[in-house]
Amino acid sequence: MQCNDKYWWYITIKADSVQEDNLFSLADISCSIGTELQELPQGVSRLRMYYRSNEEISFWKEKLLAAMREFPNVDIEDWGKIENQQWHVAVRDAFPPLPVGKNLVVLAPWHKGTEPEDRIPLYINPGSAFGTGYHESTQIVLELLEKYMTPGATTADIGTGSGILTVCAVKMGASYSYARDIDPAVIGEVRNNFELNDLDLDKIDLATGDLLKDFGHKADILTANILIDPLTEMVGDVPAVIGRSGVAIFSGMLEKEKNVFLSALANAGMKPIEELVKGDWWGVAAKAEA
């Protein structure tokens, strides 16, 4: 189904105002392309999230409901469609240039040419895939990747989403990169982001894949910015990919889930070497124990 630019879907969620950050997290995880927040009486926040019309509303609801399992006190209030009119202007305003870490800046394509000279630009078209760079979990991986990446390394990004982590790895000197996502619908969008960044596609192996099942490759750096359940399912297979000298960077977990994943790391024969927290989100760089 081709995208109909005459309208957008919307879904409205609400929760106690203390969970306002969680509402925005749900918007990013479910691939919303824009939001409107309303503060209601009695300490309640309502967030209307907008989605592209290239998928039916049921697709976006299922994506949102899957993410809401981690946020049990958030409710869906209503959903529907809204005529486009000047919405594209609001979308552009929602994605200003975003400095990340010491040397990176995330930019939507319409900001190309405005990037600071002292930062590496990561151009990402805000679309239906997770990982625009504006979510804390993505920023965690970018900052850790910036620290542990070495020129000439081979990288693997599992659950690549928008492809932003592979873009970052290649621009920081990766000699070859593997990018995998379980959803075949995002592959075209990822490839578009690679081309937007003028990456050499001969040095990238982009394909669908279910975590590390049938992966069969080695990597010096592995990144995975997904939810805790698939991370804990996958972590036992990571040491075989990175060996004793490689580094794995995991994110997409709430800080309250930290101990669960640290236990899974230990069971997989891995040890944390650095942890990072942004907002409610937690990530970790780890190595296989000798």
Side-chain angles (χ1 to χ4, degrees), residues 71-131:
F71 304 92
N73 296 317
V74 177
D75 298 316
I76 294 179
E77 187 174 61
D78 66 355
W79 59 86
K81 75 177 182 179
I82 187 169
E83 297 304 316
N84 187 0
Q85 296 180 2
Q86 297 300 314
W87 176 247
H88 64 282
V89 176
V91 172
R92 289 181 174 238
D93 291 344
F95 294 98
L98 177 71
V100 177
K102 295 181 179 179
N103 301 296
L104 307 173
V105 59
V106 179
L107 303 105
W110 48 85
H111 293 299
K112 201 167 187 177
T114 66
E115 55 279 336
E117 293 183 1
D118 59 344
R119 287 183 177 265
I120 299 171
L122 310 177
Y123 304 111
I124 299 295
N125 189 33
S128 60
F130 177 69

Side-chain angles (χ1 to χ4, degrees), residues 38 57 70 72 88-89 94 100 119 151 163 189 196 237 270:
Q38 183 181 8
I57 185 65
E70 301 291 337
H88 64 282
V89 176
V100 177
R119 287 183 177 265
E189 186 171 333
L196 182 64
D237 297 324
M270 300 188 70

Side-chain angles (χ1 to χ4, degrees), residues 103-274:
N103 301 296
L104 307 173
V105 59
V106 179
L107 303 105
W110 48 85
H111 293 299
K112 201 167 187 177
T114 66
E115 55 279 336
E117 293 183 1
D118 59 344
R119 287 183 177 265
I120 299 171
L122 310 177
Y123 304 111
I124 299 295
N125 189 33
S128 60
F130 177 69
T132 61
Y134 289 81
H135 192 272
E136 289 96 333
S137 67
T138 309
Q139 294 168 31
I140 286 170
V141 186
L142 289 172
E143 289 195 23
L144 291 173
L145 182 58
E146 182 181 37
K147 181 171 183 177
Y148 291 99
M149 181 68 197
T150 56
T154 297
T155 66
D157 184 28
I158 308 304
T160 196
S162 69
I164 188 172
L165 301 179
T166 297
V167 170
C168 180
V170 172
K171 288 200 166 187
M172 293 188 69
S175 61
Y176 198 81
S177 296
Y178 299 94
R180 295 290 184 270
D181 202 286
I182 195 171
D183 184 0
V186 308
I187 298 300
E189 186 171 333
V190 175
R191 189 174 289 109
N192 288 339
N193 282 328
F194 290 167
E195 293 173 352
L196 182 64
N197 286 273
D198 299 319
L199 303 188
D200 184 351
L201 300 185
D202 290 336
K203 295 182 178 180
I204 303 172
D205 181 348
L206 170 64
T208 55
D210 185 0
L211 301 178
L212 288 173
K213 297 172 185 174
D214 302 317
F215 181 66
H217 303 286
K218 302 292 185 180
D220 303 301
I221 302 283
L222 181 145
T223 56
N225 180 28
I226 45 183
L227 299 175
I228 188 167
D229 287 344
L231 285 174
T232 53
E233 178 184 346
M234 178 183 75
V235 67
D237 297 324
V238 172
V241 176
I242 64 172
R244 292 185 177 180
S245 60
V247 175
I249 301 170
F250 306 99
S251 188
M253 296 164 284
L254 297 168
E255 189 178 13
K256 66 182 181 181
E257 298 168 328
K258 165 183 172 177
N259 290 334
V260 173
F261 191 70
L262 288 176
S263 177
L265 269 181
N267 291 337
M270 300 188 70
K271 60 181 179 180
I273 56 175
E274 184 170 354

Side-chain angles (χ1 to χ4, degrees), residues 31-77:
C31 304
S32 165
I33 60 167
T35 59
E36 288 182 283
L37 180 67
Q38 183 181 8
E39 300 286 352
L40 302 177
Q42 299 178 334
V44 175
S45 292
R46 171 190 289 150
L47 189 71
R48 174 167 284 190
M49 306 173 294
Y50 296 91
Y51 301 86
R52 288 184 169 182
S53 56
N54 62 330
E55 299 283 356
E56 295 296 333
I57 185 65
S58 58
F59 173 88
W60 301 116
K61 285 175 63 180
E62 289 174 9
K63 204 172 189 72
L64 175 62
L65 288 169
M68 285 175 62
R69 296 191 189 108
E70 301 291 337
F71 304 92
N73 296 317
V74 177
D75 298 316
I76 294 179
E77 187 174 61

